[in-house]
Amino acid sequence: MARLLRSSLFFAVLFLAASGTVRAQVHPTLESETSVVVPGHPFWIALKLVHEPNWHSYWMNPGTGLPTRLEWKLPAGFTAAAPQWPTPALIRDETGSISGMGYEGTEVVPILVTPPADLKPGSPVVLAADVSWLMCRNSCVPGKAALSLPLIAGATETWNPAAKAEIEAARARLPRPMPGWRVSLTKNGNAFDLTLSPDPSSPPARTPAASELRFFPESDAVAFDQPQVVSLAGDGSLHVSIPISTDPGTVAPGRLVGVLRADKGWDATGRDLGFSIDLAPGQGGGAGAARTSSPATQGVARSLLATLGLAFVGGLILNLMPCVFPVLGIKVLGFVQQAGAERRKVVLHGVVFSAGVLLSFWTLAGLLAVLRAGGSELGWGFQLQSPAFVFVLAIVMLVFALSMSGVFEFGLSATSVGSGLQTKTGLGGSFFTGILATLVATPCSAPFLAPALGAALALSMAQSFAVFTAIAVGLSTPYLLLSLFPGAVSVLPRPGAWMETFKQVMAFPLYATVGFLLWVLAGQVGDTALLNLIFGFVLVAMGAWIYGRWCTTARKPGVRRFGGIVAVGVLGLGCWLGWPAAPAPGAITWEPWSAARVAQLRAEGRPVYVDFTARWCATCQANKRIVFSSKDVLRDIHDRKFVMLRADWTNRDPAITAELARWHRSAVPFDLVYLPGKPKPVELPELLTPEIVLNAVK
């Protein structure tokens, strides 16, 4: 009854305050970590709430008050995940009584936005939302604002360093299960008893004092404003008694969901304030039993033994994944070649292959552990997020494919050294194939593998290494069994002339993998960089062809040396040309051209640069590379605040055709520079130089 009366008085004050004119005391804005949206690539934005001194707004469960809400108005195909609310604080009235749960000062609320995969690069993107909140001090006033965030679609993100750092810092402070604690829950009459016990195998970074702790419930069925009894046991365990609401009509909750706050933090830095809790009475376990924001860690088997079993089965299933099939072809070919060999040699190859897989998984596990300790938030398959890694992997696959197609042969110099060196080279090949299998297999995350990997990222370092070992054993088991049982190997056909055909056929899955990796790179780099990358692949293939043509044993030593030097030079040139370097600072962001957009910008007095271009136009591509890589051009364009419009004529477009005809043009390239106060634009020649463009924009 007391709570009902207080709520009634609260809304009466709210109504009276809303009837007058009050200046907004909470200032909301939308921020984005990137100004360029890549099709299909999720990115983080944030709702930033800046409160005037002594004013506050409310959490998702306000207690008494109204929560902050967002109503999105997103472009077609875009989705916005639920806001990730920071750890709240208690709100007290003038008498010191608890009146709600919310925020003061500056709070950043991260939100993950996913654009559609078919988003057209160059198209403008506007994320809009109606935000409503309640701002209170001595009285309360509702607030509302229509927010918008203008972005543009492109091939690669352009990061906003300040916003990105702010959003990443906010995400790092979000409530989550804290390592080093085992959590359990019981129900005792009209209260929940929450117990946190230190994990002996991995002690917590810090044990908060009992006076620091307060549980913030997400459900109204838990009494947010009643005293909570907190105690610290001699073994370091924390006990929190949380009352259940006794208000009429309240149904007792079946779970305890919310955030356990430590005012001075759960870690030594004081950054991690919130421990997220989601438990039913009778449940308990490690920190993974509490709710986590990472979907990969949900549903993980409670026992380490069950997790290891899932990891082993996941490793087995990885052999059936499409990205592993090319490596399977390489390894099966190796077993075919060894079909008539002695058992010891076959077993040795299987063991060496397994060692390569194990070492690679241990290396990845160690890398993840180091990065995780440094605060990085990584998902499995993170290596394919690096354009440089994808490029190198694609080059390796391309060289393998060319070798299997007969363009050149590995190990030509070994043919005259003797059988001992050949055997050593063969074992080295098995070891390298194990490493390659790991590199291309890990991003697949087979169905049974996902929960095991989620557990590995949340477990202690020793347990995590055990999970990675189980995955590696599962991946290598079929090959090891094939080498241990000669009968299985003898079923394979004997070596013969058919092997050359088989080898060349097995090159095509590798070419398909190169195509897939090229498609991945297309989503990570810009158009010009992608063209350079394709030409780089051509030069790498040419280097392999030169090596296969002039470095055979049939050639004279001088010819072989010269051919090797040229081959290495061409291959190096291809790698240099195609290397996906980071975008240059101040890189241009293009908007799609339209006559209406030109008219609008001219009416606003904005300088405008229009580029009529097409992908199939070689001169257009040369102009872009020569002109828009010039630091002087980029600086002048940015300093003079030019709006850059691109009329892409790659596909038939009647509007662009008509505009070209209006200027008595029937082909591209064609560039126009509109300057404020000038009735006519400057027409540029077909072949551009930085000097021509600089003179025009001035």
Side-chain angles (χ1 to χ4, degrees):
M1 182 61 68
R3 183 176 179 181
L4 181 61
L5 178 60
R6 186 170 64 247
S7 298
S8 301
L9 290 173
F10 176 89
F11 285 106
V13 173
L14 170 62
F15 177 79
L16 292 174
S19 62
T21 300
V22 180
R23 182 173 66 90
Q25 304 295 334
V26 177
H27 310 287
T29 56
L30 289 177
E31 297 182 346
S32 173
E33 66 178 356
T34 177
S35 58
V36 178
V37 179
V38 177
H41 284 211
F43 62 100
W44 287 94
I45 67 170
L47 171 65
K48 186 175 182 179
L49 300 170
V50 180
H51 301 76
E52 294 284 350
N54 301 319
W55 286 79
H56 60 261
S57 61
Y58 291 89
W59 187 44
M60 65 175 79
N61 176 17
T64 301
L66 296 173
T68 301
R69 300 188 184 279
L70 291 94
E71 294 182 10
W72 288 105
K73 300 176 181 178
L74 299 175
F78 278 75
T79 59
Q84 303 292 300
W85 297 102
T87 302
L90 284 178
I91 296 172
R92 299 181 182 273
D93 58 20
E94 295 173 333
T95 67
S97 300
I98 298 172
S99 61
M101 299 173 285
Y103 307 109
E104 294 180 342
T106 299
E107 289 290 350
V108 177
V109 184
I111 303 164
L112 186 65
V113 175
T114 303
D118 58 354
L119 184 64
K120 184 178 179 181
S123 58
V125 173
V126 178
L127 306 181
D130 290 332
V131 183
S132 59
W133 66 93
L134 187 66
M135 47 190 172
C136 300
R137 188 178 178 183
N138 297 326
S139 60
C140 295
V141 181
K144 188 174 183 180
L147 305 180
S148 63
L149 183 62
L151 306 169
I152 192 167
T156 185
E157 289 90 351
T158 299
W159 303 114
N160 300 318
K164 183 176 175 63
E166 195 170 46
I167 293 172
E168 288 180 348
R171 291 175 58 203
R173 294 192 299 268
L174 288 174
R176 65 180 187 276
M178 295 299 160
W181 294 98
R182 296 184 177 275
V183 188
S184 62
L185 183 71
T186 59
K187 190 176 180 183
N188 182 15
N190 207 37
F192 284 119
D193 287 339
L194 180 66
T195 301
L196 284 73
S197 303
D199 186 347
S201 63
S202 179
R206 177 179 182 269
T207 300
S211 59
E212 297 178 45
L213 297 183
R214 179 77 190 189
F215 183 79
F216 291 77
E218 288 189 13
S219 170
D220 287 335
V222 178
F224 80 95
D225 54 350
Q226 298 301 310
Q228 298 178 1
V229 180
V230 184
S231 60
L232 176 62
D235 63 353
S237 297
L238 295 166
H239 302 275
V240 186
S241 178
I242 305 164
I244 297 173
S245 175
T246 56
D247 285 352
T250 300
V251 178
R255 300 181 69 85
L256 183 67
V257 182
V259 178
L260 183 62
R261 176 186 172 110
D263 289 338
K264 295 182 181 179
W266 292 92
D267 64 334
T269 66
R271 182 191 68 179
D272 297 327
L273 300 179
F275 193 136
S276 61
I277 302 294
D278 186 354
L279 286 173
Q283 283 188 340
R291 185 181 52 183
T292 173
S293 59
S294 174
T297 62
Q298 298 176 3
V300 178
R302 296 178 189 174
S303 69
L304 179 60
L305 185 60
T307 302
L308 293 176
L310 289 174
F312 177 78
V313 174
L316 284 174
I317 295 178
L318 276 178
N319 288 288
L320 305 178
M321 294 294 104
C323 56
V324 189
F325 182 70
V327 180
L328 276 173
I330 297 173
K331 196 57 199 165
V332 169
L333 178 61
F335 281 126
V336 168
Q337 292 171 334
Q338 301 161 23
E342 58 179 304
R343 180 178 179 180
R344 186 186 63 83
K345 179 180 177 182
V346 176
V347 171
L348 189 57
H349 276 273
V351 171
V352 169
F353 172 84
S354 301
V357 174
L358 277 169
L359 180 62
S360 300
F361 269 91
W362 287 339
T363 302
L364 286 171
L367 178 61
L368 279 173
V370 170
L371 293 176
R372 188 173 62 181
S376 297
E377 295 186 14
L378 298 174
W380 193 243
F382 72 96
Q383 61 270 37
L384 290 190
Q385 295 173 358
S386 166
F389 180 91
V390 177
F391 176 74
V392 171
L393 185 59
I395 291 296
V396 171
M397 289 292 190
L398 178 61
V399 171
F400 262 85
L402 292 170
S403 175
M404 296 180 75
S405 294
V407 174
F408 73 99
E409 296 290 341
F410 277 117
L412 287 173
S413 59
T415 57
S416 59
V417 180
S419 59
L421 185 56
Q422 288 177 6
T423 303
K424 183 178 179 181
T425 303
L427 292 176
S430 292
F431 184 79
F432 178 75
T433 305
I435 296 175
L436 190 62
T438 304
L439 291 177
V440 300
T442 50
C444 287
S445 292
F448 285 94
L449 191 56
L453 287 171
L457 296 177
L459 294 172
S460 66
M461 185 175 297
Q463 293 170 331
S464 179
F465 266 82
V467 172
F468 278 85
T469 301
I471 298 170
V473 172
L475 177 62
S476 59
T477 290
Y479 307 100
L480 194 58
L481 290 176
L482 187 61
S483 62
L484 288 173
F485 295 98
V489 177
S490 63
V491 172
L492 298 174
R494 294 294 180 184
W498 64 272
M499 289 177 54
E500 182 63 26
T501 301
F502 177 69
K503 183 180 72 171
Q504 294 184 15
V505 168
M506 293 309 300
F508 289 97
L510 286 175
Y511 288 125
T513 304
V514 174
F516 165 75
L517 294 174
L518 183 60
W519 175 75
V520 172
L521 285 165
Q524 296 175 327
V525 301
D527 288 348
T528 302
L530 181 61
L531 184 62
N532 293 340
L533 192 145
I534 294 172
F535 286 148
F537 280 7
V538 173
L539 287 174
V540 168
M542 184 177 178
W545 174 77
I546 292 172
Y547 179 80
R549 182 75 174 174
W550 281 283
C551 294
T552 65
T553 54
R555 298 286 185 177
K556 295 180 179 180
V559 175
R560 290 203 302 271
R561 283 193 295 270
F562 179 76
I565 293 172
V566 174
V568 171
V570 173
L571 190 146
L573 180 62
C575 293
W576 172 81
L577 178 63
W579 187 261
I588 293 174
T589 300
W590 294 91
E591 295 184 26
W593 170 89
S594 71
R597 179 62 172 156
V598 173
Q600 175 192 355
L601 293 170
R602 296 202 67 193
E604 296 173 357
R606 305 277 300 277
V608 182
Y609 188 105
V610 181
D611 176 32
F612 292 85
T613 184
R615 280 180 175 265
W616 38 259
C617 169
T619 306
C620 301
Q621 308 309 321
N623 284 342
K624 293 175 191 174
R625 184 166 182 82
I626 294 171
V627 173
F628 297 117
S629 62
S630 166
K631 294 181 180 179
D632 293 335
V633 172
L634 294 176
R635 183 177 60 251
D636 261 35
I637 285 174
H638 282 86
D639 290 348
R640 300 175 187 276
K641 301 186 184 306
F642 266 83
V643 179
M644 309 295 288
L645 303 183
R646 174 161 287 167
D648 191 343
W649 208 30
T650 302
N651 298 314
R652 187 185 301 274
D653 190 320
I656 296 177
T657 304
E659 184 69 11
L660 288 171
R662 191 168 75 85
W663 295 97
H664 307 290
R665 300 293 183 109
S666 59
V668 289
F670 178 52
D671 288 45
L672 295 172
V673 178
Y674 293 87
L675 299 173
K678 301 287 185 180
K680 293 184 178 180
V682 179
E683 298 184 43
L684 302 185
E686 285 81 1
L687 294 175
L688 299 178
T689 65
E691 291 73 21
I692 292 174
V693 174
L694 286 171
N695 290 332
V697 300
K698 292 177 181 178

